[in-house]
Amino acid sequence: KQEVTQIPAALSVPEGENLVLNCSFTDSAIYNLQWFRQDPGKGLTSLLLIQSSQREQTSGRLNASLDKSSGRSTLYIAASQPGDSATYLCAVQKAGTALIFGKGTTLSVSS
Amino acid sequence: DGGITQSPKYLFRKEGQNVTLSCEQNLNHDAMYWYRQDPGQGLRLIYYSQIVNDFQKGDIAEGYSVSREKKESFPLTVTSAQKNPTAFYLCASSIWGASNQPQHFGDGTRLSIL
């Protein structure tokens, strides 16, 4: 059964710092990997999607990488800002199934 | 604007009562999903539907029921058999079978026990 693990569970950094969030999964036969952001009491916002044939995707200050063979993905956030404070969720999908989520990393960026 | 609308935002259930959470999407997506989120936990799949009049159980379907009579709508009923229903419920939709398309989420319904 696919399991998704996110490390660390929580992270506090000062504004301006570059940071990396980690995601690992046990079954490498995935269709895609998705990173989401969740603000308190809200739904999820899609940040980046990496298809199984891709190695990375970039959007603004965010860069996500995928190493399918080792079952790992990282989300790199450059020059963090207080507005980046949120919970970041990683999820993987196999063909013909729904997403399986990790428990998330809660990020706090202080000014 | 296209999106997913969940209602109500807050819902309270009495003992022995069934309650229904609404989810409507105007994204023309064929697949819809229901997830449950508990504090400090990721999302767990309750039910999903790839197409109208068809749906599959997820990991925690016991005590829940769904219907998919229209493409736009996927209501979730929390029955009295669900003994611990207090949670945040999220509805999502996507294009089924498109590996380059993300899931879209509603803003959630928070269910509490009276």
Side-chain angles (χ1 to χ4, degrees):
Chain A
K1 182 183 174 184
Q2 178 74 274
E3 291 183 4
V4 180
T5 302
Q6 291 188 245
I7 294 173
L11 182 62
S12 292
V13 300
E15 183 177 5
E17 195 162 296
N18 302 327
L19 57 101
V20 174
L21 308 181
N22 296 291
C23 172
S24 62
F25 47 95
T26 54
D27 184 349
S28 62
I30 63 170
Y31 194 51
N32 65 44
L33 183 144
Q34 299 184 36
W35 283 94
F36 295 90
R37 168 185 173 136
Q38 185 177 31
D39 292 296
K42 297 291 189 180
L44 277 64
T45 300
S46 177
L47 295 174
L48 291 164
L49 180 151
I50 310 176
Q51 296 179 76
S52 62
S53 58
Q54 298 174 324
R55 297 283 292 181
E56 66 177 349
Q57 285 287 337
T58 298
S59 176
R61 295 182 292 108
L62 305 180
N63 175 276
S65 68
L66 173 64
D67 184 342
K68 209 172 63 163
S69 61
S70 68
R72 295 178 188 273
S73 176
T74 60
L75 178 67
Y76 175 82
I77 303 177
S80 59
Q81 303 171 358
D84 295 330
S85 299
T87 296
Y88 292 81
L89 291 152
C90 166
V92 298
Q93 186 173 20
K94 295 186 72 170
T97 66
L99 286 170
I100 296 175
F101 284 83
K103 293 183 179 180
T105 294
T106 298
L107 173 65
S108 175
V109 181
S110 56
S111 56
Chain B
D1 272 345
I4 299 175
T5 302
Q6 289 188 242
S7 62
K9 190 173 177 65
Y10 299 96
L11 187 59
F12 299 91
R13 195 191 89 169
K14 295 179 182 178
E15 292 289 339
Q17 186 182 43
N18 294 351
V19 293
T20 297
L21 285 61
S22 171
C23 178
E24 303 277 334
Q25 55 100 359
N26 61 3
L27 298 167
N28 199 32
H29 286 167
D30 36 13
M32 297 187 74
Y33 313 80
W34 275 106
Y35 295 92
R36 169 179 172 143
Q37 187 176 33
D38 294 281
Q41 301 293 316
L43 278 64
R44 292 185 290 167
L45 182 67
I46 305 173
Y47 271 99
Y48 67 102
S49 168
Q50 302 171 37
I51 195 170
V52 173
N53 292 323
D54 189 35
F55 46 83
Q56 285 74 44
K57 292 182 179 180
D59 297 323
I60 56 166
E62 186 174 349
Y64 300 97
S65 65
V66 293
S67 63
R68 186 87 186 277
E69 297 178 359
K70 298 187 302 181
K71 186 176 184 178
E72 301 79 18
S73 178
F74 191 40
L76 173 74
T77 296
V78 184
T79 75
S80 56
Q82 173 48 247
K83 298 306 179 188
N84 184 23
T86 297
F88 190 49
Y89 291 86
L90 287 160
C91 178
S93 70
S94 72
I95 299 172
W96 187 261
S99 64
N100 63 342
Q101 297 296 317
Q103 278 193 13
H104 295 254
F105 282 80
D107 280 340
T109 292
R110 189 167 298 280
L111 176 62
S112 302
I113 295 296
L114 281 178

